Amino acid sequence: MNAPGRTVVAGGGPGGMLLAYLLARAGLPVTLLERHQDFDRDFRGDSLHPWTLELLDRLGLTGRLLELPHLQARRFRFRTPRGTVTTSDYGLLDTPYDYVALMPQARFLDFLAREAAAWPSFELRTGAAVSGLLGSGTAADPVRGVTLRDGEEIPADLVVAADGRFSKLRTLAGRSAESLGASTDLLWFNLPQHEDDPPDADVDLFFGEHHYVGLLGGPGRSGRARWQVGFSLPKGGYPALRAAGVEAVRREVAERVPWLADRVHLLTDLNETTLLSVDISRVPRWHRPGMLLIGDAAHVISPVGGNGILMACQDAVAAANHLVPALRAGAPGDAVLAAVQAEREPAIVTVQEQQVQVERKVARARERGRPVTPPGFLRLLTRVPAIRRRSARRNAYGPVPVHPSPALERALDLSPSPAIIPS
């Protein structure tokens, strides 16, 4: 009988961390490499959707996770000069987790790392930057491990690239992502929350003539309540904004979100902001012999809609469904890796096509000097609870939800899957 295959996962984001946890819990040896020394830094994806919370509940983790500070967001809204449109109402879903949990991603990753460490076949190595691959990634010479920056070689039967949108491993494997046409950049910064802020302003987009402002509430890494503010720019527009100065940002935010006007002065310099170049892109082939790409390494999702963590975690479950049985017999073949992409790509294509449509609409409105406003029929439709519920369900579970397979359930010692997608 073959020895179980060893996996190296590069990248300790949500997808890589969850996959490493699932492999370790299934009794398979896995080493997770994170190039930073820890997770104590600001991320821009803090949204844990109902699907993610339900999955963690099946794993016995949600109760402990939700003991950590978080905010429960039950609605997603567009605020426009013509009025407010509630596009999704998670409170209408038939689930114990009828909300999006807003929690700093660093806190979520620390939690998963602690839970994974309880399994003896899991190893986390921080400050471990990959500089090369062992093997050329061909059928005759598959990838068989990685080389670290200090020259150490780590052999593996499978290497999983989960190292984000600027994936080093993707480059090493000779793969490139094809852009699908993002037209926006986002400037991110934090402002404090006040007790008298509108209680329903947890996940909102405020649209103006040339910019939109996104708000994401929740506790910061220190536990103190804060707003993450995203200020949109035309792609490549940062130099012009830099010339205009921080006052232009403060003025626009105060105009779009008047109740923030009393604190925009706390943003004193553009050096206090982070520029996120919005990208929507996808790698045509997510695998080579001995290597698999998941999450942003395989497909970059726009931050609008907060789908990034959901898509990465669903990638991890789909990968585990195929990899656990294969790794128990040794090294997974290329057909197994191809099956992961075949299962996940339809959902990714659907989400990205929707995001490209939004990008094009924003770009057209910006060119005309008009605010982005939902069409009249959409404003009427979203007054119907069933429509808001349908939209919330699609955003909560993704267009093609993923569940642990029977083989993975047995490996993880889970009871059979319940029917968790509400009708």
Side-chain angles (χ1 to χ4, degrees):
M1 185 174 181
N2 292 336
R6 174 173 294 277
T7 302
V8 165
V9 179
M17 185 69 76
L18 179 59
L19 177 58
Y21 171 88
L22 294 173
L23 296 180
R25 181 163 170 170
L28 295 165
V30 56
T31 299
L32 178 63
L33 304 177
E34 168 55 46
R35 67 185 181 90
H36 294 93
Q37 291 294 338
D38 53 39
F39 304 108
D40 187 23
R41 54 193 183 278
D42 264 335
F43 297 88
R44 295 305 170 188
D46 291 348
S47 306
L48 302 177
H49 286 63
W51 178 92
T52 308
L53 297 174
E54 289 179 0
L55 171 74
L56 295 174
D57 190 24
R58 294 207 62 217
L59 296 171
L61 303 179
T62 300
R64 293 193 294 277
L65 175 68
L66 294 183
E67 292 174 358
L68 302 175
H70 67 283
L71 174 69
Q72 297 179 4
R74 286 188 162 81
R75 296 175 183 85
F76 182 71
R77 304 173 194 82
F78 289 172
R79 308 219 183 224
T80 78
R82 296 184 183 178
T84 299
V85 177
T86 300
T87 62
S88 301
D89 190 339
Y90 302 100
L92 298 174
L93 298 178
D94 184 16
T95 170
Y97 306 108
D98 56 349
Y99 53 86
V100 174
L102 301 178
M103 176 185 293
Q105 190 179 140
R107 185 170 293 140
F108 174 57
L109 295 175
D110 277 333
F111 170 83
L112 273 185
R114 289 194 302 271
E115 294 294 333
W119 301 96
S121 60
F122 174 82
E123 179 188 18
L124 171 63
R125 297 185 58 175
T126 58
V130 175
S131 63
L133 298 175
L134 303 176
S136 59
T138 63
D141 183 28
V143 173
R144 55 184 186 277
V146 299
T147 302
L148 301 185
R149 187 178 295 164
D150 62 4
E152 180 185 359
E153 295 184 353
I154 302 179
D157 298 286
L158 174 67
V159 172
V160 178
D163 53 339
R165 59 189 301 189
F166 302 114
S167 172
K168 172 72 171 180
L169 274 78
R170 183 180 64 210
T171 300
L172 291 171
R175 295 285 185 254
S176 59
E178 297 179 356
S179 176
L180 302 176
S183 62
T184 304
D185 289 335
L186 286 173
L187 201 68
W188 285 96
F189 54 93
N190 293 333
L191 290 176
Q193 283 192 33
H194 293 172
E195 289 186 0
D196 58 350
D197 287 347
D200 63 344
D202 38 37
V203 182
D204 285 8
L205 290 177
F206 297 77
F207 288 95
E209 291 185 358
H210 299 287
H211 307 275
Y212 65 78
V213 175
L215 287 189
L216 192 65
R221 288 176 295 161
S222 66
R224 299 176 63 180
R226 56 92 172 93
W227 295 109
Q228 282 195 77
V229 184
F231 179 78
S232 75
L233 304 168
K235 184 156 287 294
Y238 183 71
L241 179 68
R242 189 88 191 173
V246 69
E247 178 57 34
V249 178
R250 294 197 295 241
R251 183 172 57 249
E252 186 74 23
V253 171
E255 182 177 346
R256 299 275 72 78
V257 194
W259 47 270
L260 289 180
D262 64 350
R263 69 205 79 165
V264 293
H265 67 279
L266 297 174
L267 179 66
T268 61
D269 193 287
L270 288 178
N271 290 329
E272 300 167 5
T273 68
T274 301
L275 179 65
L276 174 62
S277 179
V278 174
D279 190 16
I280 305 172
S281 59
R282 189 167 65 248
V283 179
R285 186 179 175 92
W286 303 3
H287 56 93
R288 298 195 68 165
M291 182 174 178
L292 174 68
L293 280 63
I294 65 170
D296 278 0
H299 49 75
V300 182
I301 304 291
S302 163
V304 176
N307 301 109
I309 293 179
L310 175 63
M311 293 295 105
C313 288
Q314 290 188 341
D315 280 4
V317 173
N321 282 340
H322 294 277
L323 294 177
V324 166
L327 285 165
R328 286 186 160 181
D334 212 41
V336 174
L337 308 183
V340 178
Q341 178 175 353
E343 179 178 343
R344 288 298 297 147
E345 194 166 32
I348 300 303
V349 169
T350 298
V351 169
Q352 290 184 323
E353 286 179 346
Q354 293 169 345
Q355 293 185 332
V356 168
Q357 290 175 6
V358 172
E359 285 285 306
R360 289 172 179 168
K361 183 172 183 179
V362 169
R364 288 195 298 268
R366 185 187 294 123
E367 290 170 359
R368 298 170 183 169
R370 298 177 181 175
V372 176
T373 56
F377 76 86
L378 180 60
R379 293 198 297 274
L380 290 173
L381 280 176
T382 52
R383 294 178 184 174
V384 180
I387 299 297
R388 298 198 302 273
R389 181 186 183 194
R390 180 180 177 183
S391 173
R393 184 171 67 246
R394 191 173 184 86
N395 191 258
Y397 297 96
V400 186
V402 180
H403 306 291
S405 67
L408 182 59
E409 288 175 342
R410 291 191 295 271
L412 301 178
D413 195 23
L414 302 180
S415 58
S417 294
I420 61 173
I421 302 300
S423 60

